[in-house]
mmCIF file of all heavy atoms in Angstrom:
data_model
loop_
_atom_site.group_PDB
_atom_site.id
_atom_site.type_symbol
_atom_site.label_atom_id
_atom_site.label_comp_id
_atom_site.label_asym_id
_atom_site.label_seq_id
_atom_site.Cartn_x
_atom_site.Cartn_y
_atom_site.Cartn_z
ATOM 1 N N ASN A 283 0.411 5.104 0.980
ATOM 2 C CA ASN A 283 -0.585 5.890 1.701
ATOM 3 C C ASN A 283 -0.393 7.382 1.529
ATOM 4 O O ASN A 283 0.530 7.988 2.112
ATOM 5 C CB ASN A 283 -0.524 5.496 3.199
ATOM 6 C CG ASN A 283 -1.665 6.207 3.963
ATOM 7 O OD1 ASN A 283 -2.446 6.986 3.419
ATOM 8 N ND2 ASN A 283 -1.747 5.888 5.258
ATOM 9 N N ASN A 285 -2.791 9.584 2.323
ATOM 10 C CA ASN A 285 -3.856 10.208 3.061
ATOM 11 C C ASN A 285 -3.426 11.497 3.728
ATOM 12 O O ASN A 285 -2.278 11.631 4.153
ATOM 13 C CB ASN A 285 -4.382 9.225 4.132
ATOM 14 C CG ASN A 285 -5.824 9.481 4.441
ATOM 15 O OD1 ASN A 285 -6.674 9.503 3.554
ATOM 16 N ND2 ASN A 285 -6.136 9.707 5.725
ATOM 17 N N PRO A 288 -5.233 11.263 9.551
ATOM 18 C CA PRO A 288 -3.974 10.606 9.883
ATOM 19 C C PRO A 288 -3.292 10.049 8.629
ATOM 20 O O PRO A 288 -3.952 9.701 7.665
ATOM 21 C CB PRO A 288 -4.450 9.466 10.773
ATOM 22 C CG PRO A 288 -5.743 9.928 11.381
ATOM 23 C CD PRO A 288 -6.373 10.771 10.304
ATOM 24 N N SER A 289 -1.974 10.005 8.686
ATOM 25 C CA SER A 289 -1.226 9.673 7.495
ATOM 26 C C SER A 289 -0.093 8.727 7.778
ATOM 27 O O SER A 289 0.149 8.309 8.951
ATOM 28 C CB SER A 289 -0.673 10.993 6.925
ATOM 29 O OG SER A 289 -0.104 11.753 7.927
ATOM 30 N N PHE A 296 5.920 2.043 13.219
ATOM 31 C CA PHE A 296 4.837 1.053 13.356
ATOM 32 C C PHE A 296 5.365 -0.192 14.063
ATOM 33 O O PHE A 296 4.727 -0.733 14.983
ATOM 34 C CB PHE A 296 4.291 0.632 11.996
ATOM 35 C CG PHE A 296 3.529 1.729 11.255
ATOM 36 C CD1 PHE A 296 3.608 1.863 9.884
ATOM 37 C CD2 PHE A 296 2.725 2.629 11.973
ATOM 38 C CE1 PHE A 296 2.890 2.857 9.216
ATOM 39 C CE2 PHE A 296 2.010 3.654 11.317
ATOM 40 C CZ PHE A 296 2.118 3.746 9.922
ATOM 41 N N SER A 300 4.092 -1.333 17.719
ATOM 42 C CA SER A 300 3.412 -2.625 17.827
ATOM 43 C C SER A 300 4.035 -3.513 18.911
ATOM 44 O O SER A 300 3.349 -4.102 19.735
ATOM 45 C CB SER A 300 3.465 -3.325 16.460
ATOM 46 O OG SER A 300 2.902 -4.624 16.574
ATOM 47 N N ILE A 303 3.283 -2.345 22.574
ATOM 48 C CA ILE A 303 1.944 -2.658 23.084
ATOM 49 C C ILE A 303 1.974 -4.022 23.813
ATOM 50 O O ILE A 303 1.171 -4.284 24.701
ATOM 51 C CB ILE A 303 0.895 -2.577 21.979
ATOM 52 C CG1 ILE A 303 0.725 -1.116 21.683
ATOM 53 C CG2 ILE A 303 -0.412 -3.256 22.392
ATOM 54 C CD1 ILE A 303 -0.355 -0.761 20.746
ATOM 55 N N SER A 312 2.580 -3.543 28.887
ATOM 56 C CA SER A 312 2.215 -2.849 27.641
ATOM 57 C C SER A 312 2.367 -1.336 27.874
ATOM 58 O O SER A 312 2.125 -0.828 28.966
ATOM 59 C CB SER A 312 0.725 -3.140 27.312
ATOM 60 O OG SER A 312 0.264 -2.263 26.319
ATOM 61 N N GLU A 315 -0.547 0.251 29.594
ATOM 62 C CA GLU A 315 -0.923 0.032 30.972
ATOM 63 C C GLU A 315 0.151 0.573 31.951
ATOM 64 O O GLU A 315 -0.030 0.375 33.152
ATOM 65 C CB GLU A 315 -1.143 -1.479 31.258
ATOM 66 C CG GLU A 315 0.111 -2.306 31.036
ATOM 67 C CD GLU A 315 -0.069 -3.795 31.434
ATOM 68 O OE1 GLU A 315 -0.886 -4.105 32.322
ATOM 69 O OE2 GLU A 315 0.598 -4.665 30.781
ATOM 70 N N GLY A 317 2.037 3.289 34.205
ATOM 71 C CA GLY A 317 1.649 4.549 34.852
ATOM 72 C C GLY A 317 2.385 5.714 34.155
ATOM 73 O O GLY A 317 3.551 5.593 33.728
ATOM 74 N N HIS A 318 1.688 6.831 34.025
ATOM 75 C CA HIS A 318 2.290 7.997 33.343
ATOM 76 C C HIS A 318 3.325 8.691 34.262
ATOM 77 O O HIS A 318 4.210 9.343 33.778
ATOM 78 C CB HIS A 318 1.249 8.980 32.818
ATOM 79 C CG HIS A 318 0.344 9.492 33.862
ATOM 80 N ND1 HIS A 318 -0.598 8.719 34.505
ATOM 81 C CD2 HIS A 318 0.177 10.733 34.384
ATOM 82 C CE1 HIS A 318 -1.260 9.466 35.371
ATOM 83 N NE2 HIS A 318 -0.787 10.672 35.303
ATOM 84 N N MET A 358 -9.392 27.690 20.056
ATOM 85 C CA MET A 358 -9.920 28.505 21.152
ATOM 86 C C MET A 358 -8.883 28.799 22.231
ATOM 87 O O MET A 358 -8.899 29.846 22.871
ATOM 88 C CB MET A 358 -11.127 27.774 21.822
ATOM 89 C CG MET A 358 -10.770 26.511 22.563
ATOM 90 S SD MET A 358 -12.146 25.911 23.590
ATOM 91 C CE MET A 358 -11.520 24.257 23.943
ATOM 92 N N GLU A 386 -13.297 31.025 16.137
ATOM 93 C CA GLU A 386 -13.194 30.855 17.589
ATOM 94 C C GLU A 386 -12.614 32.058 18.281
ATOM 95 O O GLU A 386 -13.028 32.410 19.390
ATOM 96 C CB GLU A 386 -12.317 29.619 17.909
ATOM 97 C CG GLU A 386 -12.855 28.305 17.364
ATOM 98 C CD GLU A 386 -14.280 27.971 17.846
ATOM 99 O OE1 GLU A 386 -14.547 27.999 19.032
ATOM 100 O OE2 GLU A 386 -15.124 27.684 16.946
ATOM 101 N N LEU A 389 -14.776 34.877 19.744
ATOM 102 C CA LEU A 389 -15.461 34.710 21.004
ATOM 103 C C LEU A 389 -14.672 35.405 22.147
ATOM 104 O O LEU A 389 -15.201 35.552 23.264
ATOM 105 C CB LEU A 389 -15.610 33.213 21.361
ATOM 106 C CG LEU A 389 -16.392 32.363 20.382
ATOM 107 C CD1 LEU A 389 -16.407 30.916 20.853
ATOM 108 C CD2 LEU A 389 -17.837 32.854 20.250
ATOM 109 N N GLN A 472 -1.073 14.290 13.842
ATOM 110 C CA GLN A 472 -1.340 13.204 12.888
ATOM 111 C C GLN A 472 -0.876 13.357 11.463
ATOM 112 O O GLN A 472 -1.375 12.631 10.612
ATOM 113 C CB GLN A 472 -2.833 12.826 12.970
ATOM 114 C CG GLN A 472 -3.789 13.898 12.432
ATOM 115 C CD GLN A 472 -4.266 14.878 13.489
ATOM 116 O OE1 GLN A 472 -3.662 15.009 14.528
ATOM 117 N NE2 GLN A 472 -5.308 15.585 13.196
ATOM 118 N N VAL A 496 -9.860 34.842 33.871
ATOM 119 C CA VAL A 496 -9.368 33.690 34.622
ATOM 120 C C VAL A 496 -9.499 32.463 33.705
ATOM 121 O O VAL A 496 -10.565 32.272 33.128
ATOM 122 C CB VAL A 496 -10.209 33.451 35.920
ATOM 123 C CG1 VAL A 496 -9.638 32.284 36.681
ATOM 124 C CG2 VAL A 496 -10.130 34.729 36.770
ATOM 125 N N PRO A 498 -9.658 28.512 32.665
ATOM 126 C CA PRO A 498 -9.807 27.140 33.208
ATOM 127 C C PRO A 498 -8.434 26.425 33.193
ATOM 128 O O PRO A 498 -7.617 26.687 32.309
ATOM 129 C CB PRO A 498 -10.767 26.505 32.180
ATOM 130 C CG PRO A 498 -11.472 27.608 31.509
ATOM 131 C CD PRO A 498 -10.458 28.746 31.471
ATOM 132 N N THR A 499 -8.212 25.632 34.248
ATOM 133 C CA THR A 499 -6.899 25.049 34.428
ATOM 134 C C THR A 499 -6.370 24.369 33.156
ATOM 135 O O THR A 499 -5.218 24.590 32.725
ATOM 136 C CB THR A 499 -6.921 24.025 35.536
ATOM 137 O OG1 THR A 499 -7.487 24.667 36.697
ATOM 138 C CG2 THR A 499 -5.557 23.487 35.891
ATOM 139 N N MET A 500 -7.185 23.557 32.503
ATOM 140 C CA MET A 500 -6.712 22.783 31.335
ATOM 141 C C MET A 500 -6.461 23.686 30.119
ATOM 142 O O MET A 500 -5.813 23.254 29.168
ATOM 143 C CB MET A 500 -7.752 21.727 30.970
ATOM 144 C CG MET A 500 -7.704 20.497 31.827
ATOM 145 S SD MET A 500 -6.170 19.540 31.671
ATOM 146 C CE MET A 500 -6.501 18.736 30.099
ATOM 147 N N MET A 501 -6.967 24.921 30.138
ATOM 148 C CA MET A 501 -6.761 25.823 29.037
ATOM 149 C C MET A 501 -5.539 26.723 29.194
ATOM 150 O O MET A 501 -5.124 27.381 28.272
ATOM 151 C CB MET A 501 -8.007 26.719 28.830
ATOM 152 C CG MET A 501 -9.212 25.992 28.247
ATOM 153 S SD MET A 501 -9.009 25.501 26.550
ATOM 154 C CE MET A 501 -8.682 23.741 26.715
ATOM 155 N N THR A 515 -3.368 13.209 33.139
ATOM 156 C CA THR A 515 -2.856 12.013 32.419
ATOM 157 C C THR A 515 -2.724 12.351 30.940
ATOM 158 O O THR A 515 -3.706 12.659 30.255
ATOM 159 C CB THR A 515 -3.801 10.814 32.584
ATOM 160 O OG1 THR A 515 -4.122 10.650 33.951
ATOM 161 C CG2 THR A 515 -3.185 9.534 32.001
ATOM 162 N N PHE A 519 0.068 6.846 24.793
ATOM 163 C CA PHE A 519 0.495 6.145 23.572
ATOM 164 C C PHE A 519 0.766 7.160 22.404
ATOM 165 O O PHE A 519 1.720 7.010 21.671
ATOM 166 C CB PHE A 519 -0.550 5.136 23.161
ATOM 167 C CG PHE A 519 -0.095 4.330 21.961
ATOM 168 C CD1 PHE A 519 0.887 3.360 22.077
ATOM 169 C CD2 PHE A 519 -0.658 4.568 20.702
ATOM 170 C CE1 PHE A 519 1.282 2.635 20.958
ATOM 171 C CE2 PHE A 519 -0.260 3.865 19.626
ATOM 172 C CZ PHE A 519 0.723 2.891 19.712
ATOM 173 N N TYR A 598 -3.581 4.639 -1.734
ATOM 174 C CA TYR A 598 -4.593 4.893 -0.750
ATOM 175 C C TYR A 598 -4.686 6.383 -0.377
ATOM 176 O O TYR A 598 -3.675 7.063 -0.313
ATOM 177 C CB TYR A 598 -4.283 4.113 0.502
ATOM 178 C CG TYR A 598 -5.206 4.319 1.676
ATOM 179 C CD1 TYR A 598 -6.425 3.649 1.790
ATOM 180 C CD2 TYR A 598 -4.830 5.175 2.689
ATOM 181 C CE1 TYR A 598 -7.305 3.829 2.866
ATOM 182 C CE2 TYR A 598 -5.694 5.377 3.812
ATOM 183 C CZ TYR A 598 -6.893 4.707 3.865
ATOM 184 O OH TYR A 598 -7.748 4.901 4.945
ATOM 185 N N ASN B 90 -0.453 -6.206 37.288
ATOM 186 C CA ASN B 90 -0.516 -4.712 37.253
ATOM 187 C C ASN B 90 -1.675 -4.156 38.046
ATOM 188 O O ASN B 90 -2.822 -4.229 37.583
ATOM 189 C CB ASN B 90 -0.572 -4.270 35.797
ATOM 190 C CG ASN B 90 -0.517 -2.786 35.645
ATOM 191 O OD1 ASN B 90 -0.437 -2.035 36.652
ATOM 192 N ND2 ASN B 90 -0.522 -2.280 34.414
ATOM 193 N N ASN B 92 -1.839 -0.940 38.875
ATOM 194 C CA ASN B 92 -1.698 0.505 38.729
ATOM 195 C C ASN B 92 -3.070 1.191 38.651
ATOM 196 O O ASN B 92 -4.032 0.635 38.115
ATOM 197 C CB ASN B 92 -0.875 0.836 37.507
ATOM 198 C CG ASN B 92 -0.178 2.176 37.633
ATOM 199 O OD1 ASN B 92 0.530 2.403 38.575
ATOM 200 N ND2 ASN B 92 -0.414 3.057 36.689
ATOM 201 N N PRO B 95 -2.970 5.013 33.930
ATOM 202 C CA PRO B 95 -3.368 3.914 33.069
ATOM 203 C C PRO B 95 -3.177 2.563 33.766
ATOM 204 O O PRO B 95 -2.264 2.411 34.573
ATOM 205 C CB PRO B 95 -2.431 4.068 31.863
ATOM 206 C CG PRO B 95 -2.030 5.507 31.867
ATOM 207 C CD PRO B 95 -2.012 5.910 33.289
ATOM 208 N N SER B 96 -4.036 1.647 33.379
ATOM 209 C CA SER B 96 -4.064 0.366 34.132
ATOM 210 C C SER B 96 -4.184 -0.805 33.176
ATOM 211 O O SER B 96 -4.269 -0.642 31.968
ATOM 212 C CB SER B 96 -5.217 0.381 35.099
ATOM 213 O OG SER B 96 -6.395 0.876 34.437
ATOM 214 N N PHE B 103 -4.569 -6.132 24.157
ATOM 215 C CA PHE B 103 -3.180 -5.823 23.826
ATOM 216 C C PHE B 103 -2.774 -6.526 22.519
ATOM 217 O O PHE B 103 -2.150 -5.934 21.646
ATOM 218 C CB PHE B 103 -2.207 -6.269 24.953
ATOM 219 C CG PHE B 103 -2.331 -5.473 26.229
ATOM 220 C CD1 PHE B 103 -2.209 -6.109 27.451
ATOM 221 C CD2 PHE B 103 -2.575 -4.122 26.186
ATOM 222 C CE1 PHE B 103 -2.275 -5.395 28.627
ATOM 223 C CE2 PHE B 103 -2.676 -3.380 27.381
ATOM 224 C CZ PHE B 103 -2.519 -4.041 28.612
ATOM 225 N N SER B 107 -1.929 -4.579 19.106
ATOM 226 C CA SER B 107 -0.560 -4.683 18.596
ATOM 227 C C SER B 107 -0.584 -5.107 17.126
ATOM 228 O O SER B 107 0.170 -4.549 16.281
ATOM 229 C CB SER B 107 0.184 -5.710 19.410
ATOM 230 O OG SER B 107 1.484 -5.948 18.876
ATOM 231 N N ILE B 110 -1.656 -2.272 14.656
ATOM 232 C CA ILE B 110 -0.687 -1.267 14.326
ATOM 233 C C ILE B 110 0.114 -1.687 13.109
ATOM 234 O O ILE B 110 0.669 -0.811 12.378
ATOM 235 C CB ILE B 110 0.191 -1.019 15.569
ATOM 236 C CG1 ILE B 110 -0.669 -0.199 16.544
ATOM 237 C CG2 ILE B 110 1.450 -0.214 15.187
ATOM 238 C CD1 ILE B 110 0.034 0.274 17.745
ATOM 239 N N SER B 119 -1.718 0.461 8.799
ATOM 240 C CA SER B 119 -1.714 0.566 10.255
ATOM 241 C C SER B 119 -2.943 1.339 10.726
ATOM 242 O O SER B 119 -3.383 2.274 10.039
ATOM 243 C CB SER B 119 -0.429 1.261 10.729
ATOM 244 O OG SER B 119 -0.541 1.639 12.081
ATOM 245 N N GLU B 122 -2.486 5.044 10.637
ATOM 246 C CA GLU B 122 -2.363 5.805 9.380
ATOM 247 C C GLU B 122 -3.659 5.816 8.573
ATOM 248 O O GLU B 122 -3.703 6.392 7.471
ATOM 249 C CB GLU B 122 -1.207 5.327 8.522
ATOM 250 C CG GLU B 122 -1.400 3.894 8.024
ATOM 251 C CD GLU B 122 -0.288 3.425 7.068
ATOM 252 O OE1 GLU B 122 0.220 4.216 6.277
ATOM 253 O OE2 GLU B 122 -0.017 2.188 7.067
ATOM 254 N N GLY B 124 -7.360 6.951 7.456
ATOM 255 C CA GLY B 124 -8.173 8.166 7.544
ATOM 256 C C GLY B 124 -9.309 7.944 8.540
ATOM 257 O O GLY B 124 -9.896 6.861 8.550
ATOM 258 N N THR B 162 -10.634 17.900 31.478
ATOM 259 C CA THR B 162 -11.271 18.801 30.547
ATOM 260 C C THR B 162 -12.771 18.844 30.816
ATOM 261 O O THR B 162 -13.403 19.897 30.726
ATOM 262 C CB THR B 162 -11.021 18.348 29.085
ATOM 263 O OG1 THR B 162 -9.602 18.382 28.851
ATOM 264 C CG2 THR B 162 -11.689 19.265 28.064
ATOM 265 N N MET B 165 -14.144 21.494 33.309
ATOM 266 C CA MET B 165 -14.601 22.810 32.819
ATOM 267 C C MET B 165 -15.743 22.713 31.836
ATOM 268 O O MET B 165 -16.583 23.564 31.791
ATOM 269 C CB MET B 165 -13.428 23.568 32.207
ATOM 270 C CG MET B 165 -12.909 23.007 30.934
ATOM 271 S SD MET B 165 -11.773 24.115 30.035
ATOM 272 C CE MET B 165 -11.100 22.941 28.831
ATOM 273 N N GLU B 193 -13.085 24.245 39.027
ATOM 274 C CA GLU B 193 -13.323 24.742 37.670
ATOM 275 C C GLU B 193 -14.752 25.301 37.531
ATOM 276 O O GLU B 193 -14.969 26.265 36.823
ATOM 277 C CB GLU B 193 -13.105 23.636 36.658
ATOM 278 C CG GLU B 193 -11.693 23.064 36.641
ATOM 279 C CD GLU B 193 -10.618 24.113 36.394
ATOM 280 O OE1 GLU B 193 -10.740 24.857 35.421
ATOM 281 O OE2 GLU B 193 -9.668 24.158 37.189
ATOM 282 N N LEU B 196 -15.598 28.995 38.023
ATOM 283 C CA LEU B 196 -15.319 29.958 36.967
ATOM 284 C C LEU B 196 -16.554 30.293 36.133
ATOM 285 O O LEU B 196 -16.579 31.256 35.394
ATOM 286 C CB LEU B 196 -14.229 29.460 36.023
ATOM 287 C CG LEU B 196 -12.877 29.110 36.644
ATOM 288 C CD1 LEU B 196 -11.934 28.585 35.616
ATOM 289 C CD2 LEU B 196 -12.268 30.368 37.339
ATOM 290 N N GLN B 279 -8.801 5.620 30.758
ATOM 291 C CA GLN B 279 -7.624 4.795 31.115
ATOM 292 C C GLN B 279 -7.747 3.890 32.357
ATOM 293 O O GLN B 279 -6.733 3.437 32.867
ATOM 294 C CB GLN B 279 -6.384 5.685 31.211
ATOM 295 C CG GLN B 279 -6.405 6.687 32.356
ATOM 296 C CD GLN B 279 -7.011 8.038 31.976
ATOM 297 O OE1 GLN B 279 -7.689 8.136 30.952
ATOM 298 N NE2 GLN B 279 -6.784 9.042 32.764
ATOM 299 N N VAL B 303 -21.922 31.959 24.782
ATOM 300 C CA VAL B 303 -21.567 31.317 23.488
ATOM 301 C C VAL B 303 -20.423 30.369 23.775
ATOM 302 O O VAL B 303 -19.412 30.741 24.391
ATOM 303 C CB VAL B 303 -21.125 32.399 22.470
ATOM 304 C CG1 VAL B 303 -20.799 31.716 21.135
ATOM 305 C CG2 VAL B 303 -22.232 33.422 22.281
ATOM 306 N N PRO B 305 -17.277 27.910 22.874
ATOM 307 C CA PRO B 305 -16.290 27.532 21.833
ATOM 308 C C PRO B 305 -16.735 26.190 21.178
ATOM 309 O O PRO B 305 -17.258 25.326 21.888
ATOM 310 C CB PRO B 305 -14.971 27.373 22.563
ATOM 311 C CG PRO B 305 -15.167 28.161 23.848
ATOM 312 C CD PRO B 305 -16.617 28.073 24.172
ATOM 313 N N THR B 306 -16.499 26.043 19.894
ATOM 314 C CA THR B 306 -17.006 24.915 19.202
ATOM 315 C C THR B 306 -16.597 23.578 19.833
ATOM 316 O O THR B 306 -17.435 22.687 20.068
ATOM 317 C CB THR B 306 -16.476 24.945 17.743
ATOM 318 O OG1 THR B 306 -16.830 26.200 17.169
ATOM 319 C CG2 THR B 306 -17.098 23.831 16.895
ATOM 320 N N MET B 308 -15.945 22.914 22.824
ATOM 321 C CA MET B 308 -16.502 22.762 24.149
ATOM 322 C C MET B 308 -17.985 22.431 24.154
ATOM 323 O O MET B 308 -18.566 22.081 25.148
ATOM 324 C CB MET B 308 -16.256 24.002 24.980
ATOM 325 C CG MET B 308 -14.814 24.223 25.430
ATOM 326 S SD MET B 308 -14.248 22.997 26.633
ATOM 327 C CE MET B 308 -13.261 21.921 25.575
ATOM 328 N N THR B 322 -10.615 15.529 14.081
ATOM 329 C CA THR B 322 -9.996 14.213 14.063
ATOM 330 C C THR B 322 -10.015 13.625 15.460
ATOM 331 O O THR B 322 -9.422 14.176 16.377
ATOM 332 C CB THR B 322 -8.522 14.344 13.581
ATOM 333 O OG1 THR B 322 -8.495 15.082 12.386
ATOM 334 C CG2 THR B 322 -7.909 12.965 13.368
ATOM 335 N N PHE B 326 -6.582 5.905 17.659
ATOM 336 C CA PHE B 326 -6.132 4.654 18.267
ATOM 337 C C PHE B 326 -6.759 4.477 19.686
ATOM 338 O O PHE B 326 -7.131 3.364 20.049
ATOM 339 C CB PHE B 326 -4.593 4.639 18.417
ATOM 340 C CG PHE B 326 -4.078 3.373 18.969
ATOM 341 C CD1 PHE B 326 -4.070 2.228 18.220
ATOM 342 C CD2 PHE B 326 -3.610 3.337 20.283
ATOM 343 C CE1 PHE B 326 -3.585 1.030 18.767
ATOM 344 C CE2 PHE B 326 -3.128 2.137 20.826
ATOM 345 C CZ PHE B 326 -3.113 0.984 20.067
ATOM 346 N N TYR B 405 3.107 -4.857 40.258
ATOM 347 C CA TYR B 405 3.411 -3.508 39.743
ATOM 348 C C TYR B 405 2.339 -2.510 40.140
ATOM 349 O O TYR B 405 1.137 -2.836 40.136
ATOM 350 C CB TYR B 405 3.500 -3.589 38.199
ATOM 351 C CG TYR B 405 3.714 -2.275 37.503
ATOM 352 C CD1 TYR B 405 4.966 -1.727 37.378
ATOM 353 C CD2 TYR B 405 2.624 -1.616 36.917
ATOM 354 C CE1 TYR B 405 5.158 -0.501 36.709
ATOM 355 C CE2 TYR B 405 2.801 -0.386 36.238
ATOM 356 C CZ TYR B 405 4.100 0.144 36.172
ATOM 357 O OH TYR B 405 4.269 1.327 35.501
#
Side-chain angles (χ1 to χ4, degrees):
Chain A
N283 186 358
N285 207 55
S289 47
F296 292 143
S300 176
I303 286 186
S312 167
E315 64 175 329
H318 57 292
M358 68 168 166
E386 298 304 308
L389 301 178
Q472 66 270 18
V496 181
T499 307
M500 282 293 284
M501 288 292 102
T515 310
F519 183 74
Y598 175 83
Chain B
N90 186 358
N92 206 54
S96 47
F103 291 144
S107 175
I110 287 186
S119 166
E122 65 174 328
T162 300
M165 67 168 167
E193 298 304 308
L196 301 178
Q279 66 270 17
V303 181
T306 307
M308 288 292 102
T322 309
F326 183 74
Y405 175 83

